[in-house]
Amino acid sequence: MLKSLLELVEIPSITGAAPVQDPDYGFLPYGKPVFSALQYVLKLCDTLGFETKNCDNRIGWAQIGEGDSLIGILVHLDVVPPGSGWETAPFSAVVKDGKLYGRGVIDDKGPAIAVIYAMKDLLDTGVKLNKRIRIIFGCQEESGSWEDIAYYKAHEDIPDCGFTPDADFPVIYAEKRILEVQLRYPKAAAKIAHIEGGTAVNTVPDTASLTLCTGEKVSGVGVSAHGSVPEDGKNAIADMLEKIKDIDPFASFYMEKIGFTVFGENLGCCFCDEESGTLTCSAGLISGDGEDIIIDLDIRCPVSFTSSQVMDGIAAQIAPYGAKATLRFEKPPVCLKKDSPVLRQLLSAYQSVTGDYSSKPIAMGGGTYARAMENITAFGPLLPGRPITEHSCCEYVVLEDLTVMRRIYKLALQKLLCI
């Protein structure tokens, strides 16, 4: 299992790559590295005795068992850009102090490999599997487009139930609404000639830089974190703009309305509900064109609030500054019944392996493939108490956790077979 994960991490399958025409493999819609990752896992599953399929180089699957019913496990092979600040090479996985460091080891290559070997463990028991168990290998989860899943749903069998190992244990029953909101501030009102920062909307940026019209250069340094938990990082954009807030109107606007806040406090959208907690707001990207300075916000909205409420609040706050807000896209929330059969069985599997019998289903701000299909829920891989390192410059998985999640996923699949 570890060997397979090391080899998979070495493939720099960064999301959002341009399509290419390959002389050997034809059209690769998400670029060669992502295709290479898909090719790797399908070949691995072939050697383990699974049935496999490459779906037009867009997505793939591997399955065991037989029957009309289908249990689905949705994973993804694409990763966010590595960013800066790594002490190890992000695409050369390094084992140190009982941890495996590398981009994708926890999001989501490590869990994908753990599920593959859990399926192999189940297959090796020799027990007749009266349902098909299919691991689906997504290739564009991090890009936000989910074109891969749309293609799958149009051409392949839809699972009756299942999970995606792309979140936390014990089990997730609710995921906040995800909004990507773009703010535009008129460049003519600023004193900035050039500005840039961030690598992905859903990642707290750790570097940012700008050049003033006078030629002076200003930079910012932060700490990267997943966009769903911006409180775990430090935003380099705010670090940069704080330095010029007294001399530049845009910087003043930014620090007044966004700054180092992470809950939309000054943008009129600090909403909260009992089901899923407090809204989070992270400025993931900043750039400029000929007309405007552009800020791309990653907003995770509580399940009981609408995008209209968020946008109305933002519009009212930024209008006096001549700025405008546009909703680029949104992903609807997930809110499942805590006592549904699937959640009950998944929670039972987690509790049986870990002994954590006091645990209950939880809500989160992250967005997973659970939004893409009915009766799919996020389930692991992060154990309670472990720090969230995905999308950061120190992404790692504790080695012993790989074995624990493998055992949990094997038992979970056994329990889902009984539903």
Side-chain angles (χ1 to χ4, degrees):
M1 178 174 65
L2 180 58
K3 178 178 180 293
S4 298
L5 180 52
L6 290 170
E7 292 173 348
L8 183 57
V9 170
E10 288 179 355
I11 303 172
S13 50
I14 297 173
T15 197
V20 297
Q21 186 69 36
D22 187 89
D24 297 318
Y25 301 106
F27 182 65
L28 308 181
Y30 312 127
K32 186 64 177 288
V34 171
F35 168 75
S36 296
L38 177 61
Q39 192 178 38
Y40 177 87
V41 294
L42 292 178
K43 183 177 180 180
L44 172 63
C45 292
D46 277 333
T47 65
L48 297 177
F50 300 1
E51 178 187 355
T52 63
K53 183 177 180 180
N54 177 339
C55 307
D56 200 24
N57 296 338
R58 296 177 180 275
I59 198 166
W61 55 257
Q63 72 179 20
I64 59 176
E66 58 187 29
D68 294 332
S69 297
L70 179 63
I71 297 169
I73 307 103
L74 281 66
V75 302
H76 67 89
L77 304 173
D78 60 317
V79 298
V80 296
S84 61
W86 287 79
E87 295 182 1
T88 61
F91 295 112
S92 294
V94 174
V95 176
K96 184 173 64 173
D97 300 327
K99 302 170 183 175
L100 176 65
Y101 290 83
R103 177 57 86 224
V105 294
I106 197 70
D107 182 25
D108 193 38
K109 292 179 177 181
I113 292 295
V115 169
I116 288 172
Y117 281 91
M119 292 170 64
K120 175 60 174 173
D121 292 340
L122 186 57
L123 189 64
D124 286 348
T125 64
V127 174
K128 182 176 175 61
L129 304 177
N130 60 348
K131 297 180 181 179
R132 290 173 293 154
I133 299 173
R134 176 179 293 183
I135 181 170
I136 302 167
F137 299 109
C139 294
Q140 285 295 282
E141 195 271 349
E142 297 288 9
S143 74
S145 66
W146 291 9
E147 297 173 0
D148 50 347
I149 292 295
Y151 186 89
Y152 178 92
K153 292 170 70 174
H155 297 88
E156 303 293 331
D157 293 343
I158 306 299
D160 299 293
C161 68
F163 61 86
T164 175
D166 194 18
D168 305 311
F169 287 121
V171 68
I172 306 297
Y173 78 93
E175 296 183 15
K176 294 177 183 176
R177 185 185 306 275
I178 298 180
L179 312 177
E180 183 181 322
V181 177
Q182 188 171 91
L183 306 186
R184 285 181 168 265
Y185 181 95
K187 198 171 183 179
K191 300 178 180 179
I192 296 171
H194 178 77
I195 189 168
E196 61 181 9
T199 58
V201 179
N202 60 358
T203 301
V204 176
D206 56 6
T207 60
S209 62
L210 62 82
T211 304
L212 293 169
C213 294
T214 60
E216 180 184 354
K217 298 183 183 297
V218 181
S219 62
V221 178
V223 178
S224 61
H226 194 284
S228 65
V229 283
E231 63 272 25
D232 289 349
K234 177 184 176 183
N235 200 302
I237 298 171
D239 181 66
M240 171 181 66
L241 293 175
E242 185 180 39
K243 299 171 184 176
I244 60 168
K245 65 181 181 182
D246 294 331
I247 63 171
D248 178 71
F250 169 73
S252 175
F253 155 75
Y254 183 95
M255 296 307 297
E256 286 180 17
K257 292 298 152 187
I258 303 174
F260 290 104
T261 65
V262 294
F263 302 116
E265 300 96 313
N266 300 328
L267 278 175
C269 57
C270 187
F271 302 136
C272 182
D273 66 22
E274 185 177 349
E275 290 83 3
S276 53
T278 306
L279 177 146
T280 61
C281 177
S282 171
L285 296 170
I286 193 164
S287 60
D289 60 18
E291 299 293 328
D292 300 308
I293 296 175
I294 304 164
I295 310 163
D296 289 305
L297 301 177
D298 180 331
I299 296 176
R300 312 294 169 117
C301 177
V303 298
S304 61
F305 290 87
T306 67
S307 57
S308 295
Q309 289 173 292
V310 174
M311 295 305 295
D312 288 346
I314 293 175
Q317 289 295 315
I318 68 173
Y321 298 84
K324 297 180 179 180
T326 303
L327 178 61
R328 298 291 299 278
F329 74 84
E330 72 174 290
K331 291 178 181 175
V334 172
C335 195
L336 304 175
K337 293 182 178 180
K338 297 180 184 180
D339 62 348
S340 70
V342 171
L343 262 67
R344 286 203 312 268
Q345 295 291 14
L346 296 180
L347 180 61
S348 174
Y350 165 80
Q351 292 175 333
S352 297
V353 172
T354 64
D356 179 15
Y357 290 100
S358 64
S359 57
K360 298 178 181 179
I362 58 177
M364 71 169 191
T368 73
Y369 278 151
R371 302 168 190 265
M373 297 182 188
E374 298 291 331
N375 296 317
I376 301 292
T377 189
F379 182 49
L382 199 64
L383 291 163
R386 299 297 193 204
I388 298 173
T389 62
E390 59 189 79
H391 293 207
S392 76
C393 63
C394 62
E395 182 176 352
Y396 70 82
V397 62
V398 176
L399 289 177
E400 66 181 36
D401 290 358
L402 287 170
T403 301
V404 172
M405 68 178 78
R406 176 175 174 173
R407 292 171 56 206
I408 293 172
Y409 291 140
K410 177 191 174 185
L411 182 56
L413 293 173
Q414 289 175 307
K415 290 179 174 292
L416 291 180
L417 286 170
C418 299
I419 292 180

